[in-house]
Each structure stands twice: as C-alpha cells, then as structure tokens.
C-alpha cells in the first residue's frame, strides 16, 4: 500500500482551510522559516569538515573569514524573513535589539518572529544534535508602520505558533499551533519536510529526568529534594529514573516530547533566573509541550503567563510530562 507524502506546505494549507477567514500568511511564513532552516541544515552538515574547510570563526586557506555557525544561522533567518511578505520584524538571541523591517511591504505585514538561531552550539564540535527554535506573534501595533518593542514583548499565551528544527541523525521540524503538534522529517532527496510524526502527545508520566546535574552544589533545597526523589530506589513506583542530558535544549526537549520525562533548568544559588531565555527558548518550548498535553512552569507560574519586560530575560523552567513537573513543583515552598 502506498502512503501519500504530506509536505509541510500541504499540511499547513490544509490547516488554513479549516479557518475560512484565514489568509494563509501564517503558512507562507512557516514555509520561509522552513527554507531558512534547510539552508542552515546544509551548513550544519559541513561542520565536521572543519579540518578541511577551516574552523568556523577562523580564517580559511583562501584568507576568507569562516562565519561562526550561530552567526550564519542568524543571518540566514534574517535575510530570508526580510524578503518574506509576511514578516514585519524579528528578534534573535544573537542580537541586542529587535530588527523592524523598514520597507512598505513589511510595514503591512502582520507577524513578528523571534528565534534562537542555533541552540546547543557547544555541541557542534562533538557532532551531537543542535537546533533552531522559533516563535510567531501577531503584531499589536497598527499596520502601515514599522513594528515596535510592544509587538515583541508579548506574553507567551498570545503567541500564534512555535516550533523548532533539530539537526540530528535526521533533520526534523516540529511545529505547534493551538490545533496540536506535528513533526516533519526532511527528505533530503526532494528537499521537503514531510509529515512523519502526526499529532504528537507528551506522556502524562515519564521515567527520564534531564538537567545539568553537575550544578548540584549550587541547587536550592527543592531541586535537591526532587533529585533525591528521582534517584530513590522504589521499584513499585518505577524509580530510580534514568538521567539523560544532551546540553542542547532542542535535543533534550525533542526526547521529552517523544519519550516523556522532565527537563529542568532551575534557579540556583547563583542564578536566580536560571539560564534559559524566556522569549527564544522557554516560551516556544512551553507552547509546544502544552499543545502536546504537557506542562511548563517557572517554579512559581506558568511559563506562558510570564509578562516579559525585556527581550533577553531569563526564567527558570520545569517542563515535560505533567505528573513529573507537578512532582518537581511540589518541593518548592513559596
Ligand atoms: P545556546 O547554544 O543557544 O546558547 O543554548 C544553550 C543552552 C541550551 O540549549 C541548553 O539546554 C543549555 O544551554 C545547557 O546549559 P549548561 O551547559 O549550563 O547545562
Ligand atoms: Mn539556546
Ligand atoms: Mn543560541
């Protein structure tokens, strides 16, 4: 029996048809993001050739500067989105401030995109998975002018869509809207993302915990207690749990989405807001995991309810299978 290949485009156009008033701009914006990620993917695949083509960030044999992969990813996304008719501006983990696209088309575009162009960059050298994380908001300022900070500093609960691309043993784009979460694997021979993981759901219970356990000496009591719980010998309740930590949020969350579990980057004695960025890492992942039936908290509130005050704000995060997140939160005394 032959199965019909559903490309990312087919899929989003189909989703748009479910809303008679939809203009299709969101699908075409997603197509543009997909295109940028395919370009980044090509460059990521060359990362192992550094001995031949020169280290990223260094000067190569022809005397040309090799662009660092995160800078390359950032510029690729900006260039593609600048040309997109549907994007009015971007904000990126790599840039201090947002960029409002200043042309007539962009002034009339409805959406802004925020992204972490390359997540897990310390994993490039060891050929472990890295990723790109993105989130799409509808602008709140009127059409016909350049977007402002107000368009970017919106609560996560207002976002329209979020996703990530994982550059792993295969390249996958996972995309979430309020209709659910779907995964698309890049089929290299046709250069298209094809639906491979429809309607992704995160398990209510998991058996894997994921955090940088090397930071134990800095952890607050609540994190220590949760760790003790995960490591406790309790056969009836299926513990000890397994510990897995790749060090790329995209890769750790991709596993969590597929196998269940919890990922946490909590506040510690030194870093009261944890490490990860609200706008580029925590909000998009919280939206995806919630859309798949999971949970995401800062320890004191739902991640998506945090009212952002600045673009590069950091928040602690507990995210994944509902019951595991609730268990971790149960040790936090306000
Ligand atoms: P980035 O490469 O975008 O700076 O992000 C790295 C982040 C995230 O991907 C990962 O979960 C975390 O840093 C790992 O931090 P530690 O090395 O402190 O564990
Ligand atoms: Mn990151
Ligand atoms: Mn990054």
């Amino acid at each position: 029996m032959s199965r019909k290949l559903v490309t990312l485009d087919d899929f989003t156009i189909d989703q748009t048809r479910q809303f008679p008033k939809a203009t299709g701009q969101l699908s075409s914006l997603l197509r543009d993001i997909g295109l940028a990620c395919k370009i980044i993917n090509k460059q990521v695949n060359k990362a192992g050739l550094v001995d031949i083509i020169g280290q990223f960030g260094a000067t190569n044999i022809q005397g040309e500067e090799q662009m660092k992969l995160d800078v390359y990813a950032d510029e690729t996304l900006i260039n593609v989105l600048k040309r997109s008719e549907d994007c009015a501006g971007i904000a990126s983990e790599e840039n201090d401030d947002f960029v409002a696209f200043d042309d007539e088309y962009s002034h009339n575009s409805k959406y802004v995109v925020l992204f972490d162009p390359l997540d897990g960059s310390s994993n490039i050298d060891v050929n472990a998975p890295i990723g790109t994380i993105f989130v799409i908001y509808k602008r709140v300022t009127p059409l016909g002018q350049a977007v402002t900070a107000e368009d970017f500093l919106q609560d996560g609960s207002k976002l329209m869509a979020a996703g990530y691309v994982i550059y792993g043993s295969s390249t996958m784009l996972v995309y979430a809207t309020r209709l659910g979460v779907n995964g698309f694997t890049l089929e290299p021979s046709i250069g298209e993302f094809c639906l491979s993981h429809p309607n992704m759901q995160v398990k209510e219970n998991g058996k894997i915990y994921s955090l940088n356990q090397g930071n134990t000496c800095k952890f607050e009591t609540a994190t220590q207690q949760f760790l003790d719980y995960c490591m406790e010998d309790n056969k009836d309740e299926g513990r000890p749990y397994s510990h897995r930590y790749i060090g790329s949020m995209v890769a750790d969350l991709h596993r969590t989405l597929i196998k269940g579990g919890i990922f946490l980057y909590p506040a510690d004695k030194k870093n009261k807001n944890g490490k990860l960025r609200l706008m580029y890492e925590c909000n998009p992942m919280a939206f995806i995991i919630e859309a798949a039936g999971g949970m995401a908290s800062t320890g004191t509130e739902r991640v998506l309810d945090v009212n952002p005050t600045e673009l590069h704000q950091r928040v602690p995060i507990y995210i994944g299978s509902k019951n595991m997140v609730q268990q971790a939160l149960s040790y936090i005394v306000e």
Side-chain angles (χ1 to χ4, degrees), residues 177-279:
T177 63
R178 272 165 234 289
L179 294 177
V181 185
N182 292 279
F184 302 82
T185 302
L186 183 64
E187 159 51 282
S189 65
I190 55 168
E192 292 275 5
F193 285 108
C194 299
L195 183 63
S196 52
H197 295 61
N199 190 22
M200 297 173 89
Q201 297 283 325
V202 62
K203 291 186 182 120
E204 267 205 308
N205 292 298
K207 293 196 175 304
I208 300 172
Y209 69 102
S210 184
L211 86 171
N212 188 339
Q213 205 155 344
N215 290 332
T216 302
C217 62
K218 291 191 275 173
F219 286 154
E220 306 278 6
T221 317
T223 311
Q224 298 276 9
Q225 287 173 330
F226 177 61
L227 260 184
D228 291 344
Y229 169 85
C230 292
M231 295 188 296
E232 188 184 50
D233 190 7
N234 186 330
K235 281 195 188 59
D236 295 341
E237 295 181 15
R239 280 175 282 132
Y241 294 149
S242 292
H243 174 243
R244 298 278 183 272
Y245 191 67
I246 297 167
S248 285
M249 190 191 198
V250 166
D252 282 313
L253 260 297
H254 187 62
R255 181 198 56 246
T256 305
L257 186 56
I258 289 178
K259 296 201 161 173
I262 184 173
F263 170 88
L264 55 159
Y265 211 112
D268 61 42
K269 288 176 188 150
K270 284 199 181 138
N271 308 296
K272 292 292 167 205
N273 296 314
K275 174 184 182 187
L276 300 176
R277 316 271 187 155
L278 174 64
M279 306 306 281

Side-chain angles (χ1 to χ4, degrees), residues 93 116 119 281:
E93 191 202 56
D116 176 354
D119 175 67
E281 294 171 321

